[in-house]
Structures are given as structure tokens and as C-alpha cells.
Amino acid sequence: QLIFEGRKDYWINKGGYKVSCQKIENQLLSIEAIEEALVLPVNDELRGQEIAAHIVINYGTPEKSVRHDIRKMLPHRGRNIYLTESDS
């Protein structure tokens, strides 16, 4: 379970492009194996900020399969993906 108490900004400035955290979270949550998703910016020397997604996947779901689905849905945004398996 992810416990999220708020965010400082709803947008990520990735190389001059504004990316919506909420939009990416909604796209990730449309993947059946994903229970919870949180997208936050991380500092990147080259791009200013990079996308980091913290994801809880359904118990027993192969991590490789989820990463494949994420790359297919978000081809240019799947670098910093942190997966945690659900307890049940």
C-alpha cells in the first residue's frame, strides 16, 4: 500500500516539456495488474526532471509482464519504475 500525503507540484518539467503526474498515474492504473500508482519528479542533470513511478502490482503478477505493459503504454517514460508486490 502506498501512503501519499500530497505533492509539491502536479507537473514534471522534462526537458522543457510539462508532463502531468495525474495523467501518467491514470494511464498506469488502466493496466489491470497495477493496484496503485504514484508519479513524482526526480532531479535529472540533463533534462531538469525525470519521471519516477512507484507502483504496487497485484500479488503473483510477474514483474516482467508489468514492465512490458508499461513500456508499451508509455514508451518514452518507463526509465524509473519502482515496483512493489501487493501483500494479497
Side-chain angles (χ1 to χ4, degrees):
Q1 176 181 359
L2 295 175
I3 299 173
F4 180 59
E5 296 182 359
R7 72 173 91 234
K8 195 165 111 177
D9 197 351
Y10 290 88
W11 296 92
I12 297 171
N13 186 353
K14 182 179 164 97
Y17 293 96
K18 294 287 188 177
V19 179
S20 166
C21 295
Q22 186 70 50
K23 182 177 179 181
I24 295 173
E25 288 169 359
N26 290 339
Q27 288 175 307
L28 290 169
L29 290 170
S30 73
I31 297 172
E32 190 175 325
I34 294 178
E35 278 187 26
E36 298 180 58
L38 170 66
V39 173
L40 297 170
V42 292
N43 291 330
D44 181 280
E45 285 185 29
L46 181 63
R47 295 173 190 87
Q49 292 179 322
E50 186 58 71
I51 297 163
H54 301 270
I55 297 170
V56 177
I57 60 176
N58 294 327
Y59 180 77
T61 302
E63 185 177 312
K64 186 176 181 179
S65 137
V66 175
R67 288 187 183 278
H68 175 266
D69 291 345
I70 292 169
R71 277 191 221 98
K72 196 164 73 174
M73 179 175 285
L74 305 168
H76 305 293
R77 299 182 178 157
R79 287 182 46 193
N80 301 307
I81 305 293
Y82 307 99
L83 298 178
T84 303
E85 187 174 64
S86 175
D87 293 336
S88 54

